[in-house]
Amino acid sequence: MDRIKSFLVKYKLFIFVVIAATLLITICSCASFLFLIHHRVDQNIFYTLGRGIIDGKVPYRDLFEHKGPLIYFMHAFAALIDRTSFIGIYFLEVVFFAVTLYYTFKSIRLFTTERASYIATAIAGALMCTTYCFKVGDNAEEFCFAFLMVGLYHLLRYLKAADGDLVHLGRRSYHGNIGSHTHFINYKIVLVNGILAGCVLWIKFILLGFWIAWMAIVFFVLFLQKDYKRAFLSCAVFLGGMALTTLPWLVYFGINNAIGDWFETYFYNNIVLYAHHISLWERIKAIWNSFREDFCQNPLIISVILLGL
């Protein structure tokens, strides 16, 4: 009995996030066994690409779609479990969402008590899975969010350590505290986040905005510390991590003589063919209309986001 109690105490966070992720994904994702089909278009396209890869077809060359190759290979892995249902995707969703909740908890825990962190993590998980943008599961953004939360935790922990609490940008104490002693982020953490950013790059590259900000903040803090060498080396290490995630795709598409198809479809078509040339005023109106639409579709989570800001 004592051994079981000791195990539960030691691994309670792991148990919590796995149970929470399983319950939320089971109820909210159409990939779960509670649903007969997944009715959305993109998710079935991803699975078609995944099954095609198992059958020897090459994305972009033999099957046309414009997301990144990693999302297709994830669905290929899921199809190896069962190619006639979404149960493999269900298991992937549970794993990725458990990671999301784990680092959500660790991020919150930097600022408040353990009990409050558990409550906030459960609420955050429910909000994520029940919003319109979750789109009943198995979308690119859902998987990328796990990578984002890992990076967010590393960044918040770094900023907190850099000033004994949080770095308060724009305040005098920021310059004084940072300048008096150097705090730097470990190159291993920078490399890991470069790899995470690379994974996002090869799922949906328009989601890289967070990682641009992530590296810019690390560079900015180091630069203010006058640790110029580490600031620039950190950028190089980060880009090196992204490069590592690119090598497997260069090899795969190179062997299959499909590098041109890959780059044309994923980059050229997305950047050029999908682009709309509009004026600045039209762009401002589009942003406002998008926010208004998001607020109507996701009033609860948008309100929480605004409150957090």
Side-chain angles (χ1 to χ4, degrees), residues 241-269:
M242 293 188 70
L244 286 175
T245 67
T246 305
L247 287 176
W249 305 120
L250 287 173
V251 172
Y252 171 76
F253 288 110
I255 290 174
N256 289 285
N257 297 313
I259 290 180
D261 300 291
W262 168 37
F263 272 77
E264 180 181 2
T265 304
Y266 187 47
F267 290 111
Y268 178 80
N269 288 356

Side-chain angles (χ1 to χ4, degrees), residues 168-181:
H168 301 287
L169 299 176
R171 294 177 60 175
R172 290 184 180 180
S173 61
Y174 176 81
H175 298 282
N177 290 341
I178 290 297
S180 61
H181 53 279

Side-chain angles (χ1 to χ4, degrees), residues 58-248:
V58 179
Y60 314 117
R61 190 193 71 185
D62 303 321
L63 296 168
F64 180 85
E65 227 282 314
H66 60 275
K67 291 291 193 304
L70 181 55
I71 193 77
Y72 306 140
F73 273 80
M74 289 167 61
H75 282 73
F77 173 79
L80 289 174
I81 299 174
D82 183 357
R83 60 185 294 149
T84 61
S85 76
F86 274 79
I87 197 65
I89 289 299
Y90 166 74
F91 288 122
L92 276 181
E93 283 190 281
V94 170
V95 171
F96 272 75
F97 201 62
V99 172
T100 299
L101 293 180
Y102 180 81
Y103 282 95
T104 298
F105 175 90
K106 289 177 71 70
S107 297
I108 297 169
R109 185 68 182 88
L110 293 171
F111 306 100
T112 188
T113 64
E114 184 179 60
R115 182 180 180 183
S117 297
Y118 276 109
I119 296 171
T121 299
I123 294 172
L127 283 173
M128 293 177 209
C129 285
T130 55
T131 53
Y132 177 83
C133 53
F134 184 74
K135 296 181 179 178
V136 293
D138 188 27
N139 54 77
E141 292 79 3
E142 174 192 350
F143 292 114
C144 288
F145 205 64
F147 302 126
L148 184 148
M149 287 309 303
V150 177
L152 182 62
Y153 167 69
H154 287 152
L155 184 63
L156 292 174
R157 188 178 67 176
Y158 167 57
L159 293 176
K160 192 170 184 182
D163 201 25
D165 190 346
L166 276 178
V167 173
H168 301 287
L169 299 176
R171 294 177 60 175
R172 290 184 180 180
S173 61
Y174 176 81
H175 298 282
N177 290 341
I178 290 297
S180 61
H181 53 279
T182 300
H183 290 276
F184 56 85
I185 194 165
N186 192 294
Y187 285 135
K188 291 181 181 178
I189 297 297
V190 176
L191 179 64
V192 166
N193 280 273
I195 293 171
L196 296 176
C199 292
V200 173
L201 170 65
W202 301 119
I203 292 178
K204 190 172 182 179
F205 65 81
I206 63 171
L207 301 176
L208 281 174
F210 168 80
W211 298 105
I212 295 171
W214 192 98
M215 193 60 246
I217 291 170
V218 171
F219 177 84
F220 178 66
V221 172
L222 288 170
F223 200 85
L224 285 183
Q225 294 174 0
K226 299 183 179 179
D227 195 347
Y228 306 124
K229 180 180 178 181
R230 186 173 289 273
F232 285 102
L233 278 177
S234 293
C235 292
V237 171
F238 184 86
L239 292 174
M242 293 188 70
L244 286 175
T245 67
T246 305
L247 287 176

